[in-house]
Amino acid sequence: MSSSPSDDMSAFTSALKSSKRTIAVAGAGLSAASGVPTFRGAGGLWRKYDAIKLATPEAFRASPSRVWQFYHYRREKALAAQPNPGHLALAKFSVPSIRETVVLGASFTLITQNVDGLSRRALTQIAETHPELADEVSSSAVQNSMLEMHGRLFDVVCTSARCGHREFNLHSPVCPALAGTENVFARDEPEPHIDEKDLPRCKNCGSLARPGVVWFGEMPWFLDEIDGLVDHADLCIVVGTSSTVYPAAGYAHAVKMNGGNVAVFNLDRSDGDGDADFLFLGPAETTLPKALGL
Ligand code: APR
């Protein structure tokens, strides 16, 4: 157990400035200020709905109608949301020419558990407001430094093993039959039944399509790449996550065991605190921009 974590912002700043390989592990709390519900906090999704009924391959097989209505609801919530200063600070730190104004010669990777696409939209906003950075922002180096390990809400994926076509779309609603069902989950109403033929279909082969997210029991994305990053990181920023779902929940401990620093940004105490060298309690949309100096 480390001594109690520091909340000294200037001490964190010097740890940040001396870091050569920084990673950030983000969770739903980073998007809370944007109006996207968290899972386990007040008003969280898994407190209202049984995750097993909604976010597993078995649930989808049992009722694609119910699961698609849940993901339609989450798509609509994310579409109505805007990136907040926490997303923007991390996105700016992902752009080398901006990061160099804070720390020289360091690498940075954002590992996000969030599927709402807000961190990627924050990157796009940087390119829009700083056209001189547009090429750098759209470079594969920057785009690939943002790892959405639980997939993407706006990907629609074919369920046929022979096809597997994956398409990114922001359609609202994702298909006509789902229109209006977004309120079902907001109001805890029993959901209407939608015939499978009216649910999203693969554009390529016509089979039933599914949301492009990683469900419980499925393999998160980029695990090998993330393990390599975790093994070499000397600073792990943990923001807006209850640190209860593995493997993401274990990354900070691994960095700590390798002699790296861990900085936790959360509204409340969380399971990730045990390894924290720094703990900044408060809304990440405020604490993170300050801590990153962006
Ligand atoms: N600023 C900082 N932290 C916040 C804020 C905020 N404004 N609002 C909430 N939090 C914190 C909560 O205190 C909580 O610790 O964010 C955390 C959210 O935790 P969860 O709801 O459990 O979300 P997350 O940790 O991302 O869940 C991990 O579980 O259900 C799966 O796949 C889903 O990716 C998700 C994974």
Side-chain angles (χ1 to χ4, degrees), residues 77-103:
K77 288 297 260 186
L79 280 174
Q82 288 299 327
N84 66 55
H87 295 112
L88 216 48
L90 286 168
K92 285 177 180 172
F93 204 69
S94 306
V95 181
S97 59
I98 301 177
R99 183 166 66 249
E100 299 289 318
T101 64
V102 177
V103 50

PDB file of all heavy atoms in Angstrom, residues 77-103:
ATOM      1  N   LYS A  77     -27.966   9.256 -27.024  1.00  0.00           N
ATOM      2  CA  LYS A  77     -27.387  10.037 -25.918  1.00  0.00           C
ATOM      3  C   LYS A  77     -26.012  10.580 -26.343  1.00  0.00           C
ATOM      4  O   LYS A  77     -25.678  11.732 -26.092  1.00  0.00           O
ATOM      5  CB  LYS A  77     -27.198   9.166 -24.666  1.00  0.00           C
ATOM      6  CG  LYS A  77     -28.463   8.784 -23.927  1.00  0.00           C
ATOM      7  CD  LYS A  77     -29.184   9.977 -23.365  1.00  0.00           C
ATOM      8  CE  LYS A  77     -28.955  10.225 -21.902  1.00  0.00           C
ATOM      9  NZ  LYS A  77     -29.790  11.324 -21.380  1.00  0.00           N
ATOM     10  N   ALA A  78     -25.242   9.725 -26.992  1.00  0.00           N
ATOM     11  CA  ALA A  78     -23.879  10.146 -27.393  1.00  0.00           C
ATOM     12  C   ALA A  78     -23.938  11.178 -28.516  1.00  0.00           C
ATOM     13  O   ALA A  78     -23.151  12.135 -28.543  1.00  0.00           O
ATOM     14  CB  ALA A  78     -23.060   8.929 -27.823  1.00  0.00           C
ATOM     15  N   LEU A  79     -24.922  11.025 -29.420  1.00  0.00           N
ATOM     16  CA  LEU A  79     -25.052  11.999 -30.526  1.00  0.00           C
ATOM     17  C   LEU A  79     -25.417  13.382 -29.986  1.00  0.00           C
ATOM     18  O   LEU A  79     -24.987  14.401 -30.510  1.00  0.00           O
ATOM     19  CB  LEU A  79     -26.129  11.541 -31.518  1.00  0.00           C
ATOM     20  CG  LEU A  79     -25.712  10.471 -32.527  1.00  0.00           C
ATOM     21  CD1 LEU A  79     -26.924  10.015 -33.334  1.00  0.00           C
ATOM     22  CD2 LEU A  79     -24.618  11.010 -33.450  1.00  0.00           C
ATOM     23  N   ALA A  80     -26.212  13.396 -28.913  1.00  0.00           N
ATOM     24  CA  ALA A  80     -26.669  14.676 -28.335  1.00  0.00           C
ATOM     25  C   ALA A  80     -25.565  15.305 -27.490  1.00  0.00           C
ATOM     26  O   ALA A  80     -25.677  16.465 -27.090  1.00  0.00           O
ATOM     27  CB  ALA A  80     -27.907  14.434 -27.470  1.00  0.00           C
ATOM     28  N   ALA A  81     -24.504  14.553 -27.236  1.00  0.00           N
ATOM     29  CA  ALA A  81     -23.439  15.033 -26.332  1.00  0.00           C
ATOM     30  C   ALA A  81     -22.363  15.776 -27.119  1.00  0.00           C
ATOM     31  O   ALA A  81     -22.208  15.592 -28.321  1.00  0.00           O
ATOM     32  CB  ALA A  81     -22.822  13.846 -25.605  1.00  0.00           C
ATOM     33  N   GLN A  82     -21.643  16.626 -26.403  1.00  0.00           N
ATOM     34  CA  GLN A  82     -20.482  17.312 -26.993  1.00  0.00           C
ATOM     35  C   GLN A  82     -19.240  16.950 -26.160  1.00  0.00           C
ATOM     36  O   GLN A  82     -19.358  16.786 -24.939  1.00  0.00           O
ATOM     37  CB  GLN A  82     -20.674  18.841 -26.905  1.00  0.00           C
ATOM     38  CG  GLN A  82     -21.729  19.379 -27.871  1.00  0.00           C
ATOM     39  CD  GLN A  82     -21.387  19.102 -29.347  1.00  0.00           C
ATOM     40  OE1 GLN A  82     -20.221  19.088 -29.718  1.00  0.00           O
ATOM     41  NE2 GLN A  82     -22.408  18.807 -30.137  1.00  0.00           N
ATOM     42  N   PRO A  83     -18.078  16.886 -26.777  1.00  0.00           N
ATOM     43  CA  PRO A  83     -16.866  16.672 -25.977  1.00  0.00           C
ATOM     44  C   PRO A  83     -16.760  17.767 -24.915  1.00  0.00           C
ATOM     45  O   PRO A  83     -17.140  18.914 -25.158  1.00  0.00           O
ATOM     46  CB  PRO A  83     -15.742  16.805 -27.010  1.00  0.00           C
ATOM     47  CG  PRO A  83     -16.386  16.491 -28.329  1.00  0.00           C
ATOM     48  CD  PRO A  83     -17.813  16.993 -28.227  1.00  0.00           C
ATOM     49  N   ASN A  84     -16.265  17.403 -23.734  1.00  0.00           N
ATOM     50  CA  ASN A  84     -16.114  18.398 -22.670  1.00  0.00           C
ATOM     51  C   ASN A  84     -14.632  18.716 -22.490  1.00  0.00           C
ATOM     52  O   ASN A  84     -13.782  18.077 -23.146  1.00  0.00           O
ATOM     53  CB  ASN A  84     -16.778  17.883 -21.367  1.00  0.00           C
ATOM     54  CG  ASN A  84     -16.082  16.673 -20.779  1.00  0.00           C
ATOM     55  OD1 ASN A  84     -14.883  16.717 -20.519  1.00  0.00           O
ATOM     56  ND2 ASN A  84     -16.812  15.576 -20.595  1.00  0.00           N
ATOM     57  N   PRO A  85     -14.262  19.698 -21.657  1.00  0.00           N
ATOM     58  CA  PRO A  85     -12.853  20.091 -21.511  1.00  0.00           C
ATOM     59  C   PRO A  85     -11.922  18.942 -21.118  1.00  0.00           C
ATOM     60  O   PRO A  85     -10.730  18.967 -21.441  1.00  0.00           O
ATOM     61  CB  PRO A  85     -12.913  21.160 -20.409  1.00  0.00           C
ATOM     62  CG  PRO A  85     -14.275  21.748 -20.525  1.00  0.00           C
ATOM     63  CD  PRO A  85     -15.168  20.606 -20.922  1.00  0.00           C
ATOM     64  N   GLY A  86     -12.473  17.911 -20.493  1.00  0.00           N
ATOM     65  CA  GLY A  86     -11.628  16.744 -20.154  1.00  0.00           C
ATOM     66  C   GLY A  86     -11.231  15.997 -21.416  1.00  0.00           C
ATOM     67  O   GLY A  86     -10.057  15.663 -21.630  1.00  0.00           O
ATOM     68  N   HIS A  87     -12.226  15.757 -22.311  1.00  0.00           N
ATOM     69  CA  HIS A  87     -11.911  15.112 -23.604  1.00  0.00           C
ATOM     70  C   HIS A  87     -10.909  15.951 -24.384  1.00  0.00           C
ATOM     71  O   HIS A  87      -9.963  15.440 -24.979  1.00  0.00           O
ATOM     72  CB  HIS A  87     -13.172  14.998 -24.475  1.00  0.00           C
ATOM     73  CG  HIS A  87     -14.245  14.115 -23.937  1.00  0.00           C
ATOM     74  ND1 HIS A  87     -15.460  14.596 -23.496  1.00  0.00           N
ATOM     75  CD2 HIS A  87     -14.306  12.768 -23.776  1.00  0.00           C
ATOM     76  CE1 HIS A  87     -16.212  13.589 -23.091  1.00  0.00           C
ATOM     77  NE2 HIS A  87     -15.548  12.485 -23.242  1.00  0.00           N
ATOM     78  N   LEU A  88     -11.137  17.280 -24.358  1.00  0.00           N
ATOM     79  CA  LEU A  88     -10.307  18.170 -25.186  1.00  0.00           C
ATOM     80  C   LEU A  88      -8.866  18.191 -24.679  1.00  0.00           C
ATOM     81  O   LEU A  88      -7.921  18.144 -25.474  1.00  0.00           O
ATOM     82  CB  LEU A  88     -10.911  19.587 -25.149  1.00  0.00           C
ATOM     83  CG  LEU A  88     -10.820  20.399 -26.448  1.00  0.00           C
ATOM     84  CD1 LEU A  88     -11.261  19.581 -27.653  1.00  0.00           C
ATOM     85  CD2 LEU A  88     -11.657  21.656 -26.334  1.00  0.00           C
ATOM     86  N   ALA A  89      -8.702  18.188 -23.369  1.00  0.00           N
ATOM     87  CA  ALA A  89      -7.342  18.211 -22.808  1.00  0.00           C
ATOM     88  C   ALA A  89      -6.582  16.942 -23.205  1.00  0.00           C
ATOM     89  O   ALA A  89      -5.424  17.006 -23.645  1.00  0.00           O
ATOM     90  CB  ALA A  89      -7.408  18.337 -21.279  1.00  0.00           C
ATOM     91  N   LEU A  90      -7.246  15.803 -23.124  1.00  0.00           N
ATOM     92  CA  LEU A  90      -6.582  14.538 -23.510  1.00  0.00           C
ATOM     93  C   LEU A  90      -6.299  14.526 -25.010  1.00  0.00           C
ATOM     94  O   LEU A  90      -5.245  14.068 -25.460  1.00  0.00           O
ATOM     95  CB  LEU A  90      -7.453  13.340 -23.120  1.00  0.00           C
ATOM     96  CG  LEU A  90      -7.505  13.014 -21.624  1.00  0.00           C
ATOM     97  CD1 LEU A  90      -8.620  12.004 -21.343  1.00  0.00           C
ATOM     98  CD2 LEU A  90      -6.161  12.475 -21.133  1.00  0.00           C
ATOM     99  N   ALA A  91      -7.246  15.053 -25.787  1.00  0.00           N
ATOM    100  CA  ALA A  91      -7.047  15.065 -27.249  1.00  0.00           C
ATOM    101  C   ALA A  91      -5.881  15.984 -27.604  1.00  0.00           C
ATOM    102  O   ALA A  91      -5.021  15.640 -28.422  1.00  0.00           O
ATOM    103  CB  ALA A  91      -8.329  15.514 -27.941  1.00  0.00           C
ATOM    104  N   LYS A  92      -5.803  17.146 -26.949  1.00  0.00           N
ATOM    105  CA  LYS A  92      -4.678  18.063 -27.216  1.00  0.00           C
ATOM    106  C   LYS A  92      -3.354  17.388 -26.847  1.00  0.00           C
ATOM    107  O   LYS A  92      -2.373  17.484 -27.584  1.00  0.00           O
ATOM    108  CB  LYS A  92      -4.841  19.358 -26.402  1.00  0.00           C
ATOM    109  CG  LYS A  92      -5.904  20.305 -26.930  1.00  0.00           C
ATOM    110  CD  LYS A  92      -6.051  21.511 -26.018  1.00  0.00           C
ATOM    111  CE  LYS A  92      -7.107  22.495 -26.510  1.00  0.00           C
ATOM    112  NZ  LYS A  92      -7.357  23.572 -25.499  1.00  0.00           N
ATOM    113  N   PHE A  93      -3.373  16.672 -25.733  1.00  0.00           N
ATOM    114  CA  PHE A  93      -2.138  16.007 -25.285  1.00  0.00           C
ATOM    115  C   PHE A  93      -1.748  14.888 -26.249  1.00  0.00           C
ATOM    116  O   PHE A  93      -0.583  14.461 -26.294  1.00  0.00           O
ATOM    117  CB  PHE A  93      -2.327  15.455 -23.860  1.00  0.00           C
ATOM    118  CG  PHE A  93      -1.032  15.278 -23.104  1.00  0.00           C
ATOM    119  CD1 PHE A  93      -0.296  16.383 -22.697  1.00  0.00           C
ATOM    120  CD2 PHE A  93      -0.546  14.004 -22.837  1.00  0.00           C
ATOM    121  CE1 PHE A  93       0.900  16.220 -22.001  1.00  0.00           C
ATOM    122  CE2 PHE A  93       0.652  13.832 -22.158  1.00  0.00           C
ATOM    123  CZ  PHE A  93       1.376  14.943 -21.739  1.00  0.00           C
ATOM    124  N   SER A  94      -2.722  14.440 -27.055  1.00  0.00           N
ATOM    125  CA  SER A  94      -2.449  13.387 -28.058  1.00  0.00           C
ATOM    126  C   SER A  94      -1.766  13.947 -29.295  1.00  0.00           C
ATOM    127  O   SER A  94      -1.251  13.181 -30.119  1.00  0.00           O
ATOM    128  CB  SER A  94      -3.761  12.714 -28.495  1.00  0.00           C
ATOM    129  OG  SER A  94      -4.482  12.249 -27.404  1.00  0.00           O
ATOM    130  N   VAL A  95      -1.760  15.282 -29.432  1.00  0.00           N
ATOM    131  CA  VAL A  95      -1.164  15.896 -30.635  1.00  0.00           C
ATOM    132  C   VAL A  95       0.268  16.316 -30.300  1.00  0.00           C
ATOM    133  O   VAL A  95       0.470  17.217 -29.469  1.00  0.00           O
ATOM    134  CB  VAL A  95      -1.999  17.121 -31.087  1.00  0.00           C
ATOM    135  CG1 VAL A  95      -1.400  17.751 -32.337  1.00  0.00           C
ATOM    136  CG2 VAL A  95      -3.451  16.702 -31.346  1.00  0.00           C
ATOM    137  N   PRO A  96       1.286  15.698 -30.899  1.00  0.00           N
ATOM    138  CA  PRO A  96       2.674  15.954 -30.491  1.00  0.00           C
ATOM    139  C   PRO A  96       3.045  17.433 -30.423  1.00  0.00           C
ATOM    140  O   PRO A  96       3.658  17.877 -29.448  1.00  0.00           O
ATOM    141  CB  PRO A  96       3.493  15.217 -31.556  1.00  0.00           C
ATOM    142  CG  PRO A  96       2.617  14.101 -32.000  1.00  0.00           C
ATOM    143  CD  PRO A  96       1.209  14.640 -31.932  1.00  0.00           C
ATOM    144  N   SER A  97       2.642  18.219 -31.423  1.00  0.00           N
ATOM    145  CA  SER A  97       3.099  19.629 -31.415  1.00  0.00           C
ATOM    146  C   SER A  97       2.466  20.402 -30.261  1.00  0.00           C
ATOM    147  O   SER A  97       3.012  21.397 -29.799  1.00  0.00           O
ATOM    148  CB  SER A  97       2.785  20.304 -32.747  1.00  0.00           C
ATOM    149  OG  SER A  97       1.403  20.250 -32.988  1.00  0.00           O
ATOM    150  N   ILE A  98       1.305  19.937 -29.752  1.00  0.00           N
ATOM    151  CA  ILE A  98       0.715  20.581 -28.565  1.00  0.00           C
ATOM    152  C   ILE A  98       1.367  19.989 -27.318  1.00  0.00           C
ATOM    153  O   ILE A  98       1.771  20.709 -26.405  1.00  0.00           O
ATOM    154  CB  ILE A  98      -0.815  20.379 -28.519  1.00  0.00           C
ATOM    155  CG1 ILE A  98      -1.482  20.963 -29.767  1.00  0.00           C
ATOM    156  CG2 ILE A  98      -1.391  20.983 -27.241  1.00  0.00           C
ATOM    157  CD1 ILE A  98      -2.988  20.753 -29.844  1.00  0.00           C
ATOM    158  N   ARG A  99       1.551  18.650 -27.330  1.00  0.00           N
ATOM    159  CA  ARG A  99       2.149  17.994 -26.152  1.00  0.00           C
ATOM    160  C   ARG A  99       3.531  18.548 -25.863  1.00  0.00           C
ATOM    161  O   ARG A  99       3.925  18.739 -24.718  1.00  0.00           O
ATOM    162  CB  ARG A  99       2.212  16.478 -26.380  1.00  0.00           C
ATOM    163  CG  ARG A  99       2.738  15.709 -25.206  1.00  0.00           C
ATOM    164  CD  ARG A  99       2.497  14.213 -25.309  1.00  0.00           C
ATOM    165  NE  ARG A  99       3.244  13.585 -26.403  1.00  0.00           N
ATOM    166  CZ  ARG A  99       2.672  13.088 -27.489  1.00  0.00           C
ATOM    167  NH1 ARG A  99       1.351  13.202 -27.661  1.00  0.00           N
ATOM    168  NH2 ARG A  99       3.395  12.504 -28.435  1.00  0.00           N
ATOM    169  N   GLU A 100       4.279  18.877 -26.942  1.00  0.00           N
ATOM    170  CA  GLU A 100       5.651  19.402 -26.765  1.00  0.00           C
ATOM    171  C   GLU A 100       5.658  20.718 -25.993  1.00  0.00           C
ATOM    172  O   GLU A 100       6.681  21.108 -25.440  1.00  0.00           O
ATOM    173  CB  GLU A 100       6.300  19.627 -28.148  1.00  0.00           C
ATOM    174  CG  GLU A 100       6.440  18.377 -29.015  1.00  0.00           C
ATOM    175  CD  GLU A 100       7.504  17.412 -28.500  1.00  0.00           C
ATOM    176  OE1 GLU A 100       8.567  17.896 -28.088  1.00  0.00           O
ATOM    177  OE2 GLU A 100       7.233  16.191 -28.488  1.00  0.00           O
ATOM    178  N   THR A 101       4.498  21.402 -25.958  1.00  0.00           N
ATOM    179  CA  THR A 101       4.488  22.677 -25.192  1.00  0.00           C
ATOM    180  C   THR A 101       4.443  22.375 -23.679  1.00  0.00           C
ATOM    181  O   THR A 101       4.652  23.255 -22.863  1.00  0.00           O
ATOM    182  CB  THR A 101       3.248  23.529 -25.566  1.00  0.00           C
ATOM    183  OG1 THR A 101       2.062  22.822 -25.180  1.00  0.00           O
ATOM    184  CG2 THR A 101       3.211  23.830 -27.058  1.00  0.00           C
ATOM    185  N   VAL A 102       4.122  21.107 -23.360  1.00  0.00           N
ATOM    186  CA  VAL A 102       4.033  20.732 -21.933  1.00  0.00           C
ATOM    187  C   VAL A 102       5.226  19.857 -21.550  1.00  0.00           C
ATOM    188  O   VAL A 102       5.869  20.043 -20.525  1.00  0.00           O
ATOM    189  CB  VAL A 102       2.714  19.950 -21.661  1.00  0.00           C
ATOM    190  CG1 VAL A 102       2.644  19.505 -20.201  1.00  0.00           C
ATOM    191  CG2 VAL A 102       1.510  20.784 -22.040  1.00  0.00           C
ATOM    192  N   VAL A 103       5.519  18.872 -22.421  1.00  0.00           N
ATOM    193  CA  VAL A 103       6.621  17.948 -22.096  1.00  0.00           C
ATOM    194  C   VAL A 103       7.332  17.559 -23.387  1.00  0.00           C
ATOM    195  O   VAL A 103       6.698  17.246 -24.390  1.00  0.00           O
ATOM    196  CB  VAL A 103       6.084  16.696 -21.346  1.00  0.00           C
ATOM    197  CG1 VAL A 103       4.905  16.076 -22.053  1.00  0.00           C
ATOM    198  CG2 VAL A 103       7.178  15.666 -21.135  1.00  0.00           C
TER     199      VAL A 103
END
